[in-house]
Amino acid sequence: EFSSRARQKHARLAGDQREQYPHSLQFYLEPPLESISLVEFESFAIDRLRLLKVIENLGVSYVRSSDVYKTKLEAELRKLKFPYRALAEDDYEARRKDHISHFILRLAYCQSEDLRRWFLQQEMDLFRYRFHELTGSLMQRFLEHANLSFEAIGEDLKNELANELSVSTPGFSLPKVKEQMFYKVGLADAVDLFRARRVFIKDGFAYVPFKEIDVIVLNNYRTKLSKALALTARSLPSIQSDERLQPLLNHLSHSYVGPDYSIQKNSGKISLEQIDALSVKSFPLCMRQLHRALRDSHHLRHGGRMQYGLFLKGIGLTLEQALEFWKKEFIRGKVDADKFDKGYAYSIRHSFGKEGKRTDYTPYSCMKIIMSNPPSQGDYHGCPFRHSDPELLKQKLQSYKIPPSGITQVLELVKGMHYQLACQKYFELTHDVDDIGFSLSHPNQYFTESQKLLSGGREPKKELNNSGNFPQKNNSQESTNSSSTPTSSNAKADTELEGLEAYFTED
Ligand code: SF4
């Protein structure tokens, strides 16, 4: 649908869809059927991605039931114009955005097991927060709306079972049993409570207190959503044949929302002699690893050259410096000067936009590094938090003098698949700050923030600033002519990048 925004809006209002959203909370059972513009498609998706990333960040920084978690999440929901208060009567636009954006990301994040798990986790946290924010009567309304109208047991039955209910339900004294409403729920729905021995069971039914009903609802939502993701994944081939959608969806799943670091204010401000020291102080682990491998073996295979070369360009190496840097190192290994000038030099000039299609290539974001082109034997590219064996990662961190408690924290985050958060923790440990103060999404962002901190350019923040987690699309781009958001122009750049990669295929 390519019509203008105004026309779209008009078309949408003409076919009023308010009745689709009787509640601000939903299980997303029915996909949206209306036509929307690609612009809206993309902006909805990016906003939800921002939201889910904030949720991930908050989830490991704060206890989910804490006030600070709730306050920060509500602020983000308000800012991005998603439904934040179930009571709001007229939040049709917010509900619509919530609905559509969920389904777009579902398409983008059904594509691999890793993506599905990540999406499911963040959506569950979002749902949990919203469900807990509902008042008692809205909760009841939602349960009915979601066809989860569990039967509340009558006073007579409750009195009859009072002793059993009190003994089998932790935290429920007899008087408390009398106060609370209990629901009769099929065993399959209460399996988590049953496993944790937190519920009274009789004749194939669980008797669940109102305050525990959330466990059941969440369980139900998780089952529905993971099934839906698996089903969506099966329909991928037909989506992949849509040439408008596929690039957008691919970019969303690799997406990182922030500046693209393709144009550097610092160009030429770094000398080659500084790189060794900088690699220890200010490079993220992925680049530190690549630098070490290059110095040790005087060579990097093409995945490493791409990842590291573009990063170095992003931190400010000029073309001349890059040529000198790579040449010096390579001719110490098996490549002679002539071979370097004929092959590798061309590809370096190409990556600076001086050859071929003259595209100024963008340094890789964390998502791109984490999600695509995993390293194989003999490769040093990739994200060590994602791609290294935990034992090797541990050894590496030990060799970098990270204290044991810090290593444990990093490994815990890795285990939970929070790779960027593990990297943030590594930043905090190596820079001796309590809180990183930004949401990491790009190796060059890591470098810039490290340099700012080390040069006293910013005070370490004590509080995670979620409202400022993601640079705004319009004003924070370092480059004015390129956007890192997943646009079709990025899709074009990626196609061109494949062309560039062809130049690098020589190992
Ligand atoms: Fe590099 Fe990003 Fe992984 Fe950190 S999280 S090591 S910056 S890819």
Side-chain angles (χ1 to χ4, degrees):
E1 181 62 56
F2 290 99
S3 53
S4 72
R5 247 180 197 285
R7 244 185 301 145
Q8 273 301 329
K9 198 168 179 193
H10 183 73
R12 207 172 64 228
L13 290 176
D16 191 53
Q17 315 240 349
R18 266 157 221 271
E19 72 288 351
Q20 243 195 304
Y21 309 119
H23 207 283
S24 64
L25 196 59
Q26 58 164 314
F27 272 168
Y28 309 101
L29 299 179
E30 300 294 331
L33 295 174
E34 62 182 295
S35 299
I36 64 167
S37 69
L38 285 175
V39 175
E40 197 170 43
F41 182 96
E42 186 180 324
S43 98
F44 278 9
I46 289 172
D47 280 355
R48 194 171 195 96
L49 193 53
R50 282 174 197 272
L51 177 65
L52 297 189
K53 286 193 175 182
V54 168
I55 289 172
E56 179 188 26
N57 228 335
L58 290 175
V60 290
S61 307
Y62 304 102
V63 177
R64 288 190 182 84
S65 55
S66 67
D67 285 346
V68 56
Y69 177 91
K70 291 181 189 168
T71 313
K72 283 175 182 290
L73 187 45
E74 177 175 331
E76 196 62 27
L77 287 164
R78 274 174 190 262
K79 195 176 89 189
L80 294 170
K81 298 196 168 53
F82 284 107
Y84 63 90
R85 205 190 300 135
L87 286 171
E89 285 293 320
D90 192 22
D91 57 357
Y92 168 67
E93 289 296 340
R95 291 178 190 191
R96 175 176 171 270
K97 177 175 177 175
D98 179 47
H99 183 213
I100 295 174
S101 64
H102 168 92
F103 273 93
I104 301 173
L105 286 205
R106 196 189 271 192
L107 278 180
Y109 279 78
C110 71
Q111 304 190 41
S112 74
E113 186 56 38
D114 273 1
L115 290 172
R116 285 195 288 272
R117 212 173 303 156
W118 184 85
F119 179 72
L120 187 64
Q121 175 67 47
Q122 313 323 321
E123 286 285 336
M124 287 294 295
D125 283 356
L126 174 61
F127 186 90
R128 183 185 295 107
Y129 161 79
R130 284 171 164 171
F131 187 72
H132 285 162
E133 290 304 290
L134 296 178
T135 60
S137 63
L138 281 170
M139 216 178 254
Q140 190 63 49
R141 243 167 62 194
F142 170 72
L143 292 178
E144 282 159 22
H145 168 63
N147 275 336
L148 288 175
S149 29
F150 305 122
E151 184 192 336
I153 62 171
E155 282 304 305
D156 291 351
L157 183 57
K158 193 164 77 174
N159 288 336
E160 196 184 304
L161 298 174
N163 275 332
E164 285 93 336
L165 290 173
S166 168
V167 174
S168 316
T169 323
F172 275 73
S173 58
L174 266 180
K176 210 167 166 204
V177 166
K178 301 240 156 85
E179 272 168 29
Q180 275 262 334
M181 216 152 32
F182 275 77
Y183 291 84
K184 193 173 163 186
V185 172
L187 212 47
D189 279 327
V191 80
D192 281 358
L193 290 170
F194 172 54
R195 270 204 207 114
R197 295 171 183 268
R198 295 173 59 81
V199 72
F200 174 60
I201 307 280
K202 188 172 185 240
D203 299 335
F205 286 96
Y207 289 77
V208 182
F210 182 65
K211 110 179 197 328
E212 299 273 27
I213 214 83
D214 60 340
V215 178
I216 294 177
V217 174
L218 280 160
N219 211 14
N220 203 291
Y221 180 53
R222 179 190 292 279
T223 312
K224 286 195 164 76
L225 185 52
S226 45
K227 269 192 197 149
L229 280 165
L231 269 179
T232 316
R234 267 194 244 154
S235 60
L236 268 181
S238 64
I239 296 156
Q240 274 158 351
S241 63
D242 188 320
E243 60 188 25
R244 297 163 312 163
L245 284 189
Q246 186 50 26
L248 277 174
L249 295 176
N250 262 345
H251 276 279
L252 280 171
S253 58
H254 294 163
S255 184
Y256 128 83
V257 226
D260 68 4
Y261 298 94
S262 61
I263 294 183
Q264 257 300 321
K265 288 179 288 196
N266 295 331
S267 187
K269 294 208 179 131
I270 284 172
S271 73
L272 295 187
E273 291 66 44
Q274 285 176 293
I275 294 182
D276 283 329
L278 286 173
S279 74
V280 175
K281 284 191 300 188
S282 287
F283 282 15
L285 200 53
C286 53
M287 302 304 169
R288 189 172 175 178
Q289 167 173 293
L290 281 164
H291 184 73
R292 194 64 267 146
L294 177 64
R295 286 288 193 236
D296 289 346
S297 59
H298 316 300
H299 192 266
L300 283 180
R301 295 171 73 181
H302 90 274
R305 294 199 296 274
M306 291 294 289
Q307 183 175 319
Y308 191 39
L310 291 171
F311 169 79
L312 289 175
K313 184 177 93 161
I315 70 171
L317 246 59
T318 61
L319 172 60
E320 292 67 34
Q321 285 179 308
L323 286 167
E324 188 186 337
F325 173 78
W326 289 101
K327 185 170 183 176
K328 261 190 186 160
E329 204 57 57
F330 271 45
I331 59 175
R332 291 177 68 199
K334 290 186 189 141
V335 176
D336 62 35
D338 192 42
K339 184 174 177 197
F340 184 89
D341 290 339
K342 283 186 180 143
Y344 297 100
Y346 180 90
S347 58
I348 293 167
R349 283 198 301 277
H350 198 288
S351 71
F352 276 75
K354 304 293 179 206
E355 300 282 359
K357 291 175 187 154
R358 303 195 174 259
T359 310
D360 200 6
Y361 292 97
T362 307
Y364 294 172
S365 70
C366 293
M367 282 305 258
K368 181 170 172 84
I369 295 172
I370 290 170
M371 304 307 298
S372 49
N373 189 23
S376 43
Q377 193 78 21
D379 282 333
Y380 292 92
H381 68 269
C383 168
F385 299 106
R386 168 68 183 90
H387 298 118
S388 289
D389 176 82
E391 198 46 44
L392 289 179
L393 178 62
K394 186 174 167 188
Q395 285 171 21
K396 183 163 283 170
L397 295 172
Q398 280 166 342
S399 73
Y400 292 161
K401 307 275 179 290
I402 306 291
S405 61
I407 295 180
T408 310
Q409 286 174 296
V410 169
L411 292 177
E412 269 306 303
L413 289 165
V414 167
K415 204 164 139 202
M417 299 195 305
H418 303 295
Y419 309 118
Q420 283 152 280
L421 298 176
C423 189
Q424 289 185 189
K425 182 52 72 185
Y426 171 79
F427 184 105
E428 288 166 8
L429 293 162
T430 48
H431 291 76
D432 203 17
V433 287
D434 288 345
D435 194 321
I436 188 170
F438 62 92
S439 176
L440 175 76
S441 48
H442 202 296
N444 290 79
Q445 177 195 20
Y446 184 108
F447 176 80
T448 310
E449 291 293 338
S450 167
Q451 285 291 290
K452 249 194 253 170
L453 191 65
L454 295 176
S455 63
R458 83 160 168 87
E459 288 297 313
K461 291 178 190 163
K462 294 287 171 204
E463 276 246 62
L464 183 75
N465 178 8
N466 283 302
S467 57
N469 265 344
F470 297 100
Q472 294 303 301
K473 273 180 255 174
N474 296 332
N475 58 14
S476 68
Q477 293 289 325
E478 303 230 346
S479 126
T480 50
N481 63 350
S482 59
S483 156
S484 62
T485 51
T487 60
S488 39
S489 63
N490 271 3
K492 185 167 155 264
D494 244 26
T495 318
E496 287 169 351
L497 199 57
E498 277 159 26
L500 172 65
E501 281 172 5
Y503 291 106
F504 278 92
T505 47
E506 190 180 0
D507 279 342

